[in-house]
Amino acid sequence: GNSVTQMEGPVTLSEEAFLTINCTYTATGYPSLFWYVQYPGEGLQLLLKATKADDKGSNKGFEATYRKETTSFHLEKGSVQVSDSAVYFCALREIGNEKLTFGTGTRLTIIP
Amino acid sequence: EPEVTQTPSHQVTQMGQEVILRCVPISNHLYFYWYRQILGQKVEFLVSFYNNEISEKSEIFDDQFSVERPDGSNFTLKIRSTKLEDSAMYFCASSMTGATNEKLFFGSGTQLSVL
């Protein structure tokens, strides 16, 4: 079956540091890949997505590239801010399948 | 941006009791979902609902669970006889078309504690 494995947290970084949160997946077909973010007290929100190999999703300075050869979709940001503190979820969804398959989430804390 | 709202934010119940978790999806959305996250574990799919019927459900969604859209605006998840292992954060979500690459709009969740 499908699965998503993402970097265990929590992750603590200083402001302006470089961020990578690793995500790898297992899927039987050709899934769409997503990063969702959950800020304190809020629901999960879509951060970015990519729908086919070599696509790059980007939003709010975050980027992730759909790498079919390594089955990965790592999240990166060049310079994090305190406001990026949140829980980040990697997820996939296959064509014809209703469900999103999530990773465990990575809690990110940015200190000034 | 439009929001999915969930009530209550916290629910405490005794084992064996029935609970109903409530959600108001975005008004022009057609696809509705419930997910849950047990503390420290992955967010898990429970059920999807379209055109007034369940379109897909996971193995977690057994006979103790049911969903309903009673009035065209609310979307509810009922657990008939709660167990300790039902303690989790329950998220409702909705989307417009159900397309594979479409984003889901999630509520902020209901934390269910079964004692």
Side-chain angles (χ1 to χ4, degrees):
Chain A
N2 297 340
S3 67
V4 175
T5 303
Q6 66 180 99
M7 188 166 139
E8 293 285 332
V11 174
T12 302
L13 294 173
S14 297
E15 206 166 19
E16 299 183 4
F18 183 87
L19 168 72
T20 301
I21 301 178
N22 289 338
C23 171
T24 57
Y25 67 90
T26 303
T28 51
Y30 299 95
S32 292
L33 302 175
F34 306 85
W35 278 98
Y36 278 81
V37 58
Q38 186 180 26
Y39 299 104
E42 299 183 16
L44 283 75
Q45 304 170 24
L46 180 67
L47 179 61
L48 54 83
K49 66 179 182 182
T51 56
K52 60 184 190 297
D54 300 324
D55 268 3
K56 180 186 284 189
S58 61
N59 186 24
K60 300 182 181 179
F62 290 89
E63 292 183 340
T65 301
Y66 191 141
R67 300 281 188 209
K68 190 164 179 296
E69 64 276 14
T70 53
T71 61
S72 65
F73 194 54
H74 304 321
L75 183 68
E76 296 182 336
K77 186 174 185 181
S79 176
V80 291
Q81 306 300 313
V82 172
S83 56
D84 294 327
S85 299
V87 182
Y88 291 81
F89 294 90
C90 186
L92 70 80
R93 190 173 179 189
E94 289 218 77
I95 294 171
N97 204 319
E98 299 273 348
K99 70 176 186 181
L100 273 170
T101 299
F102 283 93
T104 48
T106 302
R107 181 173 298 278
L108 174 68
T109 302
I110 307 300
I111 51 178
Chain B
E1 190 170 69
E3 287 185 349
V4 174
T5 55
Q6 289 186 244
T7 54
S9 54
H10 293 87
Q11 173 96 46
V12 180
T13 190
Q14 296 290 325
M15 193 168 57
Q17 294 296 303
E18 175 183 286
V19 293
I20 297 176
L21 309 183
R22 301 180 192 280
C23 169
V24 179
I26 293 167
S27 60
N28 61 346
H29 284 186
L30 301 176
Y31 290 79
F32 314 110
Y33 312 86
W34 283 100
Y35 286 79
R36 77 174 186 190
Q37 186 178 29
I38 295 169
L39 188 64
Q41 299 186 23
K42 297 187 177 189
V43 176
E44 302 171 292
F45 169 79
L46 293 178
V47 66
S48 58
F49 190 86
Y50 168 71
N51 200 26
N52 279 320
E53 58 184 31
I54 290 173
S55 46
E56 187 173 335
K57 61 182 182 178
S58 71
E59 59 276 5
I60 302 167
F61 195 89
D62 61 21
D63 292 343
Q64 292 297 313
F65 291 89
S66 62
V67 288
E68 194 179 29
R69 191 155 161 78
D71 57 14
S73 62
N74 290 282
F75 179 51
T76 60
L77 174 69
K78 183 194 290 186
I79 309 175
R80 254 178 279 283
S81 177
T82 50
K83 308 186 199 62
L84 295 176
E85 55 265 34
D86 294 328
S87 295
M89 177 72 86
Y90 288 80
F91 294 104
C92 173
S94 69
S95 68
M96 174 89 81
T97 69
T100 306
N101 61 356
E102 185 189 19
K103 85 173 182 181
L104 269 59
F105 289 78
F106 283 85
S108 54
T110 295
Q111 181 66 56
L112 177 65
S113 298
V114 182
L115 307 179

